[in-house]
Amino acid sequence: MLTQRSRYALRSMLFLARAPAGSPPIPMTRIAAEATVPRKFLELILADLRDAQLLHSYRGKMGGYVLSRPAHLISLGEIIRVIEGPLALVPCVSRTAYRPCKDCKSEIDCEIRAAMMRVRDETARILDGTSLADATADKLVAA
């Protein structure tokens, strides 16, 4: 299940993705209001997304946030990984944070691992194949 933090991140990024190309930076207060995200959480989320180079931030009176790349080049999978970490449900199938399971006798023979690899692969395929542009389109087509 997605955490509330991930839902806030996705809603914020989707709001930014709807802004016309070349729009001025959008202030955090407007993002918070439009995406219905508490400002306290949004500040931390936007900092994480900025540090991951998914957003650019600008200071000052006309400051705010813009996507760092066009919406069609930012996937939902990227956003979720920044906020949640690996998509894998168990550490032994993670591509970025692999760890053997403590109670596993044999990874090669583990039926749970085999099933979780399929879940990871399909989840990643769908989330990585769905861009912000896809998600904001009138009719979302499954990846």
Side-chain angles (χ1 to χ4, degrees), residues 38-102:
R39 188 183 157 128
K40 172 176 119 174
F41 292 112
L42 184 60
E43 201 168 332
L44 299 170
I45 290 166
L46 294 178
D48 287 344
L49 294 168
R50 182 196 63 226
D51 292 346
Q53 300 179 347
L54 296 178
L55 293 175
H56 288 300
S57 64
Y58 297 91
R59 293 179 178 226
K61 185 177 179 182
M62 300 301 290
Y65 293 85
V66 296
L67 298 178
S68 63
R69 304 191 300 263
H72 72 278
L73 296 177
I74 299 174
S75 74
L76 301 185
E78 285 181 275
I79 298 164
I80 292 169
R81 283 185 190 93
V82 167
I83 302 300
E84 299 288 336
L87 296 176
L89 296 177
V90 292
C92 68
V93 300
S94 176
R95 290 188 176 146
T96 59
Y98 169 83
R99 287 189 334 266
C101 295
K102 293 176 184 175

Side-chain angles (χ1 to χ4, degrees), residues 18-38:
R18 286 186 203 95
S23 294
I26 300 174
M28 183 186 319
T29 53
R30 183 164 170 224
I31 298 168
E34 296 289 335
T36 59
V37 178

